Amino acid sequence: MDQTEFPYKICIPYQDHARGGMYTFFNYFTQYLTRHGIAHTRKIVASYDFLLVNSFMTKPGKIWFAKKLFPRARIVQRVDGAAQDYGRSNGEMWDSLQGRVSRLADLTIYQSNYGKYATNQKFPVINSDGPVIYNAVDTELFNGSARQAEPGE
């Protein structure tokens, strides 16, 4: 195994679920960290240097708690897009939540250029710049082996 020199520990407080999107991103990222011997945990109460959270999936109260436990830890928020834009029920409430998380974050990572546009301009939820790291596709979950419906079926 190739060992990468990275003297920090990362917390990714999510369990693996085969649901696509953020879970695919975190699953692949965690596999990368493991392959390269980079320390990481799923436990928000463990010691770490970076807390990586996704949009509105970690409530601001938990992030405040983490900041109190580990005041030197940096918070990195990964943003999918504006909930109002992709039809999530109570989208404004969810976007308000991710806006509050954004104010606690030291860095914002966007999953696409469109997600960045949607949360910065179309629905001004987040007012921080940051890089785009695209989602990978989980080919076990999303593949072309399923039979396609014929027109009219």
Side-chain angles (χ1 to χ4, degrees):
M1 298 279 158
D2 177 29
Q3 300 297 304
T4 302
E5 288 294 321
F6 190 75
Y8 305 105
K9 186 174 184 180
I10 302 170
C11 178
I12 305 169
Y14 305 105
Q15 297 304 315
D16 184 22
H17 296 286
R19 295 187 188 152
M22 82 162 223
Y23 293 106
T24 300
F25 177 83
F26 286 135
N27 191 22
Y28 286 155
F29 186 55
T30 301
Q31 288 175 25
Y32 173 87
L33 296 174
T34 300
R35 270 194 321 272
H36 294 279
I38 298 172
H40 59 282
T41 183
R42 294 187 191 276
K43 297 177 182 174
I44 204 161
V45 294
S47 178
Y48 47 83
D49 303 288
F50 294 94
L51 174 61
L52 179 56
V53 298
N54 194 79
S55 297
F56 38 73
M57 295 297 291
T58 303
K59 293 187 170 55
K62 269 193 169 179
I63 297 169
W64 273 113
F65 176 72
K67 283 174 116 13
K68 293 289 184 197
L69 279 177
F70 309 108
R72 297 185 65 167
R74 297 289 146 235
I75 311 301
V76 179
Q77 177 191 25
R78 180 183 172 276
V79 173
D80 295 317
Q84 299 169 75
D85 200 23
Y86 54 81
R88 186 174 187 141
S89 62
N90 298 319
E92 288 183 21
M93 186 260 321
W94 289 107
D95 284 343
S96 172
L97 182 62
Q98 71 176 337
R100 289 191 310 234
V101 171
S102 175
R103 289 188 287 281
L104 297 171
D106 297 293
L107 173 68
T108 302
I109 297 170
Y110 298 89
Q111 68 122 349
S112 69
N113 284 318
Y114 183 79
K116 186 174 186 175
Y117 160 76
T119 55
N120 285 194
Q121 296 173 27
K122 186 174 181 183
F123 298 95
V125 175
I126 295 169
N127 48 350
S128 60
D129 196 11
V132 172
I133 301 176
Y134 296 102
N135 277 346
V137 175
D138 182 344
T139 56
E140 296 293 318
L141 186 61
F142 302 101
N143 61 59
S145 65
R147 180 183 166 273
Q148 296 293 318
E150 296 295 323
E153 283 189 295

